[in-house]
C-alpha cells in the first residue's frame, strides 16, 4: 500500500488545513506547516527494478499515488569515499555528490515535490524565494511542469545563479537587502489569491523530498545507515528531511540504529549552533546578518529553529561551526580530489576536517556545484 497525502498541521498551534489548499502557513502563528503523513515500508529488494528517480521510494512519499509525476531524473547521486576506515575503527568518511543533481544542487529533491503539488493545484502563479539554489531548482521543475514562476532573490545573488533561474523561464524579483528581506517580500506576495508559495522552508512537502537523501544512502549501503550524518544547516531542510527518513526507516524496522545528526553552520552566521550549545530550545533572538562565503546557510532567523534543535538533540548529535578560512581550504582540498563544489556545499567537509575523528562511518553531502559560484576568494 502506498502512503497518501493527508493534511497540513501546525506543530505549534495544532491548527489543520487541507494539503490541497494554497494556505502556505499557519493562520494563527504564521509558522511553517508539518504534514500529517504516514509512510509505508519501502521494500529494499524491489528497488533494483524501479524508476530511476526519487519517485522510486513511492511508499515513503506523499503525492506518489498518482502517475506520471514531474521529474528530471533527480536522485541516486554517487557515494564516494574521502577517508578510509582506520585500523582502530574511526575516521571513515564518504561524500554523497548531490551537486550532480539536474540543477546542480540537492534542492532538486524538494523542488520536484513542490512542482508536483503545484501541478495538481493549478495556481495562477508559483513564487519562491532563495539565495540561488532553491530558486533555480523551483524554476527548473516549474518549467518541466509548465507552470508560471517568479523567484525572489536578494541583491547580490551570484550572477551565475540568476542566469540559470532566468534561463528556465522564471522571472526574477531582486529584493534590496539580505536573505530575510527577500523572504518577507516573497511571503507578502504569497498572500495574494491564486498564488502557490513554493517555499522550501514553509511547505513540508519539500522536507519529504529531501528525506530521499537518506533513503538513497540506505539503499546504497544495502539496508544500513552510517553512524554519523553531517549536514549543513541554514533553514535546516536537508537535516529535517534526514531526521524524517531516519525515524521512518527505524520505525518500520528497516534499520537497527539511528545515526547521530551533526549540524554545520558558518561561524559568521551561526544562531542555531549558539542556541544549541547554550542549551536553548529556541532562538533567543535572530543573529546578525554578517557576510560569509557559505551564503546558502547564512540564515539569521530560521523559522523551523525549534524543530532543528530538537532533531539534533534527539539523535545524540551536535553543532559544529566553520571559519571562512576553513571553507576556502575545504573547497580547494575537494577540488584537488576531483570534486568542484561551491563554498556553501563544502561546509560539512570543512567541519569534518577540523573536528576530532568520530567512531564508525560518516557521510557528508556535497550540496552544490562549484560552477554556480566559482572558487572562494582569498582572504584580504
Amino acid at each position: 500500500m502506498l502512503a497518501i497525502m493527508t493534511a497540513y498541521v501546525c506543530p505549534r498551534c495544532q491548527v489543520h488545513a487541507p494539503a490541497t489548499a494554497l494556505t502556505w502557513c499557519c493562520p494563527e502563528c504564521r509558522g511553517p506547516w508539518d504534514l500529517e503523513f504516514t509512510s509505508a515500508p519501502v521494500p529494499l529488494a524491489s528497488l533494483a527494478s524501479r524508476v530511476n528517480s526519487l519517485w522510486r521510494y513511492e511508499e515513503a512519499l506523499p503525492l506518489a499515488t498518482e502517475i506520471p509525476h514531474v521529474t528530471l531524473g533527480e536522485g541516486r547521486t554517487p557515494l564516494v569515499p574521502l577517508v578510509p576506515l582506520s585500523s582502530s575503527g574511526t575516521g571513515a568518511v564518504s561524500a554523497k555528490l548531490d551537486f550532480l543533481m539536474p540543477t546542480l544542487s540537492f534542492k532538486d529533491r524538494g523542488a520536484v515535490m513542490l512542482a508536483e503539488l503545484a501541478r495538481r493545484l493549478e495556481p495562477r502563479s508559483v513564487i519562491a524565494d532563495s539565495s540561488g539554489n532553491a530558486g533555480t531548482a523551483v524554476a527548473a521543475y516549474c518549467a518541466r511542469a509548465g507552470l508560471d514562476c517568479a523567484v525572489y532573490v536578494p541583491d547580490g545573488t551570484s550572477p551565475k545563479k540568476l542566469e540559470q533561474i532566468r534561463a528556465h523561464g522564471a522571472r526574477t524579483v531582486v529584493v534590496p537587502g539580505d536573505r530575510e528581506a527577500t523572504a518577507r517580500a516573497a511571503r507578502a506576495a504569497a498572500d495574494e489569491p491564486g498564488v502557490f508559495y513554493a517555499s522550501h522552508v514553509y511547505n513540508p512537502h519539500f522536507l519529504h523530498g529531501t528525506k530521499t537523501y537518506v533513503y538513497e544512502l540506505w539503499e546504497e549501503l544495502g539496508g544500513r545507515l552510517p553512524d554519523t550524518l553531517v549536514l549543513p544547516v541554514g533553514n535546516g531542510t536537508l537535516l529535517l528531511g534526514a531526521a524524517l527518513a531516519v525515524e521512518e526507516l527505524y520505525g518500520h524496522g528497516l534499520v537497527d540504529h539511528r545515526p547521530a545528526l551533526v549540524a554545520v553552520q558558518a561561524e559568521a552566521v551561526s544562531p542555531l549552533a549558539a542556541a544549541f550549545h547554550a542549551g536553548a530550545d529556541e532562538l533567543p533572538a535572530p543573529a546578525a546578518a554578517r557576510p560569509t562565503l557559505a551564503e546558502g546557510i547564512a540564515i539569521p532567523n530560521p523559522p523551523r529553529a525549534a524543530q532543528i534543535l530538537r532533531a539534533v538533540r534527539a539523535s545524540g548529535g551536535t553543532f559544529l561551526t566553520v571559519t571562512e578560512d576553513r571553507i576556502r581550504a575545504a573547497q580547494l582540498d575537494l577540488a584537488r580530489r576531483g570534486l568542484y563544489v561551491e563554498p556553501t556545499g563544502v561546509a560539512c567537509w570543512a567541519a569534518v576536517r577540523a573536528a576530532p575523528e568520530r567512531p564508525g562511518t560518516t557521510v557528508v553531502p556535497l550540496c552544490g556545484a562549484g560552477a554556480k559560484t566559482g572558487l572562494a576568494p582569498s582572504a584580504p
Side-chain angles (χ1 to χ4, degrees):
M1 178 182 294
L2 296 183
I4 59 172
M5 177 179 68
T6 52
Y8 294 133
V9 59
C10 174
R12 184 187 297 270
C13 306
Q14 295 305 302
V15 171
H16 286 71
T20 53
L22 293 177
T23 307
W24 61 268
C25 68
C26 172
E28 298 291 330
C29 70
R30 302 283 285 181
W33 292 119
D34 281 348
L35 193 65
E36 282 194 335
F37 173 80
T38 302
S39 69
V42 175
L44 183 63
S46 73
L47 291 176
S49 61
R50 292 197 178 183
V51 63
N52 194 32
S53 75
L54 62 74
W55 293 107
R56 67 197 283 105
Y57 308 112
E58 56 187 15
E59 292 86 357
L61 293 175
L63 309 175
T65 54
E66 179 183 320
I67 53 175
H69 306 102
V70 176
T71 185
L72 288 168
E74 59 289 324
R76 307 210 69 195
T77 54
L79 182 67
V80 300
L82 293 178
V83 179
L85 189 69
S86 70
S87 58
S88 62
T90 63
V93 183
S94 295
K96 189 157 174 60
L97 310 190
D98 262 24
F99 68 91
L100 297 181
M101 287 283 193
T103 76
L104 308 182
S105 90
F106 86 93
K107 296 289 177 64
D108 289 10
R109 294 186 183 277
V112 65
M113 301 294 293
L114 297 182
E116 175 62 19
L117 178 59
R119 182 183 71 84
R120 299 184 191 191
L121 299 181
E122 299 182 329
R124 171 173 56 84
S125 180
V126 175
I127 68 168
D129 61 282
S130 169
S131 60
N133 285 336
T136 296
V138 169
Y141 282 91
C142 281
R144 187 70 168 177
L147 296 164
D148 179 82
C149 180
V151 180
Y152 287 65
V153 297
D155 189 23
T157 296
S158 162
K160 293 182 180 180
K161 292 181 179 180
L162 290 175
E163 179 182 327
Q164 191 178 5
I165 291 169
R166 291 165 179 158
H168 291 309
R171 301 181 305 284
T172 54
V173 181
V174 179
V175 179
D178 60 13
R179 185 67 183 81
E180 285 294 302
T182 303
R184 287 193 297 271
R187 292 195 290 265
D191 286 328
E192 296 294 322
V195 172
F196 176 79
Y197 186 24
S199 172
H200 57 294
V201 182
Y202 281 80
N203 194 304
H205 288 87
F206 196 94
L207 307 182
H208 284 272
T210 60
K211 75 182 181 185
T212 60
Y213 173 86
V214 169
Y215 273 92
E216 288 179 21
L217 290 174
W218 170 74
E219 180 184 358
E220 184 154 0
L221 296 174
R224 297 180 297 107
L225 288 177
D227 298 296
T228 303
L229 294 170
V230 182
L231 300 154
V233 172
N235 279 308
T237 54
L238 184 55
L239 184 139
L240 290 173
L244 276 172
V246 168
E247 290 308 308
E248 290 174 0
L249 289 165
Y250 188 83
H252 290 311
L254 297 175
V255 294
D256 60 6
H257 78 284
R258 296 179 177 94
L261 304 180
V262 174
V264 176
Q265 296 205 287
E267 186 178 275
V269 185
S270 52
L272 290 162
F276 180 88
H277 291 299
D281 295 328
E282 297 196 34
L283 292 187
R290 296 165 58 196
T292 173
L293 296 169
E295 61 180 5
I297 54 173
I299 308 298
N301 189 26
R304 294 187 184 269
Q307 290 176 280
I308 296 164
L309 293 166
R310 187 163 55 247
V312 173
R313 287 198 176 100
S315 76
T318 190
F319 270 81
L320 302 174
T321 61
V322 288
T323 64
E324 304 301 291
D325 285 345
R326 291 195 185 281
I327 292 170
R328 289 187 190 90
Q331 187 185 31
L332 287 172
D333 177 76
L334 286 171
R336 288 163 183 158
R337 297 166 184 258
L339 302 167
Y340 189 34
V341 185
E342 68 177 352
T344 298
V346 307
C348 290
W349 177 234
V352 167
R353 292 179 78 211
E357 290 184 346
R358 297 183 67 89
T361 55
T362 295
V363 173
V364 300
L366 304 183
C367 295
K372 285 174 172 275
T373 57
L375 285 172
S378 299

